[in-house]
């Protein structure tokens, strides 16, 4: 998904310098088989040099949660913004590592968790429901990152400068909407099916086709089944229903405002 953010020039310059400096380092980490402790050191340096956090004042490894310590916590102006669970550079990140990081965040009421081995960076948002759940919001492989606008935007979302601007929150909201589940639900909506039927009748003069016919074909033969089933599909229907309801309210309000007294 394309990412549209405005990056200040000072930050842009820092990101480009950081890519040049750390990409060769990161690419050698697996071959060196460095320990988890050494990976933590690399990540602290990256958080400082690339992402703009003061590694002495804002990045700590002394954050205790329920009798244990998380690997790193990023605290800005007295508030923990991210918990960071670190694994050694040679470790493939998996759900077991994620559950531990989410468990840390859930007990502290912290929404954002970073899971990283210095090469792959995964950012998750904790969903404070019953049971506690999480969703991946952003992922990038720093060894493959480029200087393109989309890639630097991904890095910028983790920068200190993005915290007050809520850039990551905005990206998360967009990702909740622009995904295959919501697109699939939209394709089956009355307005889209109706427009498709009208287009068929316009192009193929005299063709008799109903909305029900088109909806069955779309659901069974055009759209992938996994985009229509499961939790993601249910959530997409709710998102679409809420958006349509909001649009109707706005239209009603606008009509009332435009009506003469």
């Amino acid at each position: 998904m394309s990412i549209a953010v405005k990056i200040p020039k000072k930050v842009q310059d820092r990101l480009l310098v950081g890519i040049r400096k750390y990409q060769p380092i990161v690419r050698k980490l697996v071959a060196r088989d460095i320990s988890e402790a050494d990976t933590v050191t690399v990540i602290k340096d990256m958080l400082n040099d690339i992402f703009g956090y003061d590694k002495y004042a804002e990045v700590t490894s002394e954050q205790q949660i329920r009798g244990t310590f998380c690997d790193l916590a990023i605290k800005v102006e007295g508030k923990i913004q991210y918990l960071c669970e670190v694994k050694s550079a040679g470790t493939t990140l998996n759900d077991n590592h994620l559950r531990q990081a989410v468990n840390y965040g859930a007990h502290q009421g912290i929404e954002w968790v970073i899971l990283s081995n210095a090469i792959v960076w995964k950012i998750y948002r904790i969903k404070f429901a019953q049971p506690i759940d999480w969703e991946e919001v952003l992922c990038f492989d720093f060894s493959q990152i480029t200087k393109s606008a989309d890639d630097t935007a991904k890095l910028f979302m983790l920068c200190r400068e993005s915290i007050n601007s809520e850039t990551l929150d905005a990206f998360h909201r967009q990702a909740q909407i622009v995904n295959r589940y919501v697109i699939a639900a939209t394709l089956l909506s009355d307005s889209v099916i109706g427009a498709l039927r009208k287009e068929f009748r316009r192009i193929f003069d005299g063709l008799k086709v109903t909305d029900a016919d088109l909806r069955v074909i779309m659901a069974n033969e055009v759209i992938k089944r996994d985009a229509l089933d499961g939790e993601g599909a249910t959530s997409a229907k709710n998102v679409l229903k809420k958006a349509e309801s909001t649009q109707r309210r706005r239209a009603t309000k606008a009509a009332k405002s435009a009506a003469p007294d």
Side-chain angles (χ1 to χ4, degrees):
M1 181 169 59
S2 180
I3 306 170
V5 296
K6 185 176 181 180
I7 305 176
K9 186 179 184 306
K10 180 180 178 181
V11 179
Q12 179 79 18
D13 292 343
R14 188 183 73 222
L15 293 176
L16 296 179
V17 170
I19 292 171
R20 285 196 300 270
K21 177 180 177 180
Y22 281 93
Q23 218 162 44
I25 295 172
V26 164
R27 287 170 177 166
K28 295 177 182 177
L29 292 181
V30 175
R32 289 173 51 202
D33 193 27
I34 70 170
S35 66
E36 188 171 298
D38 288 340
T39 306
V40 168
T41 299
V42 173
I43 286 179
K44 287 181 73 173
D45 288 342
M46 293 175 76
L47 289 171
N48 184 93
D49 297 342
I50 300 172
F51 299 106
Y53 298 97
D54 184 331
K55 68 179 180 180
Y56 300 110
E58 297 175 331
V59 181
T60 176
S61 56
E62 296 301 317
Q63 188 62 44
Q64 187 173 17
I65 301 174
R66 300 196 75 182
T68 187
F69 291 92
C70 66
D71 292 314
L72 293 172
I74 299 173
K75 183 184 290 188
V76 177
E77 297 177 355
K79 180 182 178 182
I80 297 176
Q81 301 292 337
Y82 296 98
L83 292 175
C84 185
E85 180 71 9
V86 178
K87 296 301 170 186
S88 64
T91 299
T92 300
L93 304 180
N94 61 44
D95 284 351
N96 289 330
H97 306 145
L98 176 60
R99 277 191 283 270
Q100 182 177 338
V102 168
N103 186 52
Y104 287 159
H107 287 112
Q108 281 291 89
I110 300 163
E111 282 188 298
W112 296 102
V113 172
I114 300 170
L115 178 63
S116 180
N117 57 9
I119 303 163
V120 175
W121 294 67
K122 293 176 176 283
I123 295 83
Y124 296 88
R125 189 170 195 170
I126 298 174
K127 297 159 70 175
F128 295 96
Q130 290 296 333
I132 292 292
D133 200 1
W134 61 87
E135 57 186 327
E136 181 182 306
V137 176
L138 184 66
C139 177
F140 57 86
D141 183 331
F142 193 83
S143 69
Q144 302 299 321
I145 212 82
T146 70
K147 297 177 183 178
S148 69
D150 275 356
D151 278 2
T152 53
K154 290 177 183 178
L155 298 180
F156 178 63
M157 286 187 197
L158 278 186
C159 287
R160 192 189 190 285
E161 291 83 357
S162 290
I163 289 176
N164 293 331
S165 67
E166 298 182 340
T167 303
L168 191 55
D169 284 284
F171 176 76
H172 177 240
R173 287 193 294 271
Q174 181 177 341
Q176 287 181 306
I177 297 171
V178 186
N179 61 60
R180 61 196 181 108
Y181 298 109
V182 177
I183 292 172
T186 304
L187 289 174
L188 292 177
S189 66
D190 291 344
S191 57
V192 173
I193 292 293
L196 183 61
R197 172 180 49 79
K198 291 176 183 178
E199 186 66 5
F200 263 92
R201 290 183 175 180
R202 184 187 70 82
I203 297 174
F204 305 104
D205 188 34
L207 178 71
K208 300 296 183 181
V209 62
T210 68
D211 287 9
D213 293 332
L214 292 173
R215 184 172 281 107
V216 168
I217 294 171
M218 288 282 280
N220 295 335
E221 301 180 33
V222 178
I223 302 172
K224 286 188 175 182
R225 197 70 238 168
D226 62 358
L228 299 174
D229 295 330
E231 183 180 342
T234 300
S235 176
K237 291 175 184 176
N238 292 333
V239 167
L240 193 60
K241 184 178 180 180
K242 183 177 179 181
E244 288 175 338
S245 178
T246 300
Q247 288 299 328
R248 285 195 296 271
R249 287 197 301 271
R250 288 176 180 171
T252 301
K253 184 177 180 180
K256 288 181 179 179
S257 299
D261 294 334

